[in-house]
Every structure is written in C-alpha cells, then in structure tokens.
Amino acid sequence: MHPEDTAPIRVLVVDDHPVFRAGMATVLEDLDGLDVVGQSGDGARAVDDVARLAPDVVLMDLRMPGMGGLEATARITTTHPATAVIVLTMDEDDDSVFAALRAGARGYLLKEADGDDIRRAILGVARGEAVFGPRIAQRVLAFFSSSPAHPRRAVPFPQLTDREREVLDLLAHGLDNASIARRLVLSEKTVRNRVSDVLAKLRARSRAEAVAIARDAGMGPA
C-alpha cells in the first residue's frame, strides 16, 4: 500500500456496465493521489487483472455475469492479501453487505457515493482501515449492537441466506442446476447465480468442495 503523500494508489475498476466503468475511471483519474491501472468487466477478468497489474485497491461491483463480485473478492483477498477490495454496488441489503465482508472486502459503498467519498474510502482501505458508506455503517453497527431477547436456533452456515442454504442442501443431495431450478421454481440463471454466491461465501473452489463442506455439516442424504 502507498501512503497518501507518496506514490499514487493504484486502482482497478470492476463493473460489467462499460459506460459506468469508464465514467468511474475518468472520475478517479481526476482525483489527486489515484492512478487507475485497469478496468475489468467481470469477476474472472478482475482476478486475472489483479494478478497481472497488482493494484493496491479494487473497486468491485457485486452483480456481474459469469463470476460475480463476491466470488472474485474471495479469490482476490485469498491470493493477493495486499490488495484491498471496496465493494461499489447498488445492493444495500444485509445479506449482500455481510457476504462481502466475509469474502474479505474492506469497504462497502453504494453507487450513489460521490467522487470525494470514493477517494476517501480508497485512501482509507489503502491505510488498512475498513470503510463503509453512511447507511451501510448504520447497518453494520446495528447488527453488532443488537442483542435479541430470543436468539434464533443455530443453523449451519449462518452467512448464507435461507434460499442459498436450500440451494446448498440440494447440491449436497446431488442435484444439478436444472433439477434445483425445477425444485425451487427458479430460472437456471438464478440458480447459477445462487450457486456462485454460495461458493464465494463458503470460500469453496468448486461445487464438489461445497458439497463436501455441506455434507460435513450434516446436509445431504442421511
């Protein structure tokens, strides 16, 4: 990481919308202390570009075709721990926020953030800080300060949503995407996205590894 008063912080912008991606790169290039070293249109390309370009900070969208932002974040933070990931997305639900943090993201901003806010976040994570947009910070603080009177029964993989846990259980039973889609009355594309999210949250490198993890936790055939 580079201190603010020395070399510029090297930034990689990852988003599947080319107009937004190019616009964000232009905004960042005009800000002091930042150097946009590349742009990626999907998660798989971002993983490759991090290995090739060694950016200090990655601005990562979550919802992209193919490999999504969660899986890409998990891979980047595992293989390149010196690179900090800031999620920049429209998604502000609790599931997305905490999934991103579990995947290793050091920051979470909404796309409504202005250039100054994004610059401050980039500088912050480059110094090793965790940075959240105002509404996201409120959600994180509320989560950790809450103490429910009636705690819920412990469930396996609390980082997963109920739907993702259903998908994982069906994977553990040996169902393929088409069968899961029919069982849950979902499109195959939605199932593919859910499977990708499950793998990212479990930090599993493949479906087979996710199935093994699920079966170890008691999911799948009795």
Side-chain angles (χ1 to χ4, degrees):
M1 297 296 178
H2 300 299
E4 182 179 354
D5 58 353
T6 59
I9 295 171
R10 296 164 54 81
V11 182
L12 175 69
V13 179
V14 184
D15 196 286
D16 63 321
H17 294 287
V19 174
F20 178 86
R21 188 171 68 240
M24 178 56 60
T26 299
V27 168
L28 297 179
E29 286 284 14
D30 288 339
L31 299 175
D32 291 339
L34 305 182
D35 179 19
V36 177
V37 296
Q39 301 177 37
S40 310
D42 59 67
R45 178 65 181 271
V47 172
D48 291 341
D49 285 346
V50 167
R52 180 172 59 89
L53 299 170
D56 299 309
V57 177
V58 177
L59 284 182
M60 178 75 72
D61 190 18
L62 285 184
R63 301 297 174 184
M64 296 179 288
M67 184 188 295
L70 284 178
E71 183 176 355
T73 296
R75 293 193 183 193
I76 290 167
T77 57
T78 298
T79 58
H80 302 278
T83 296
V85 176
I86 298 174
V87 168
L88 183 63
T89 180
M90 298 291 292
D91 297 333
E92 58 176 310
D93 59 285
D94 288 352
D95 287 338
S96 295
V97 173
F98 293 109
L101 297 183
R102 292 185 183 100
R106 297 189 201 171
Y108 200 107
L109 298 176
L110 299 179
K111 286 186 175 179
E112 65 191 34
D114 61 26
D116 288 338
D117 288 337
I118 294 172
R119 179 177 182 271
R120 280 193 292 270
I122 291 172
L123 296 177
V125 299
R127 292 191 296 263
E129 301 170 5
V131 180
F132 307 100
R135 293 212 303 272
I136 302 303
Q138 291 173 5
R139 290 175 179 272
V140 174
L141 290 172
F143 177 83
F144 286 109
S145 63
S146 63
S147 53
H150 302 288
R152 292 182 295 178
R153 179 175 58 86
V155 295
F157 313 116
Q159 69 269 41
L160 302 182
T161 65
D162 290 340
R163 177 63 86 187
E164 288 166 350
R165 203 172 291 109
E166 284 184 291
V167 169
L168 178 60
D169 186 56
L170 294 175
L171 284 176
H173 277 86
L175 275 64
D176 59 16
N177 286 358
S179 300
I180 294 173
R182 288 193 297 270
R183 180 74 65 89
L184 299 180
V185 196
L186 299 171
S187 70
E188 286 193 49
K189 179 180 178 181
T190 296
V191 171
R192 285 196 302 272
N193 289 337
R194 293 291 178 270
V195 170
S196 178
D197 288 346
V198 167
L199 265 60
K201 291 182 181 183
L202 297 182
R203 299 204 175 205
R205 291 167 292 185
S206 66
R207 291 169 69 102
E209 184 175 348
V211 167
I213 293 171
R215 289 180 176 172
D216 283 345
M219 288 184 165

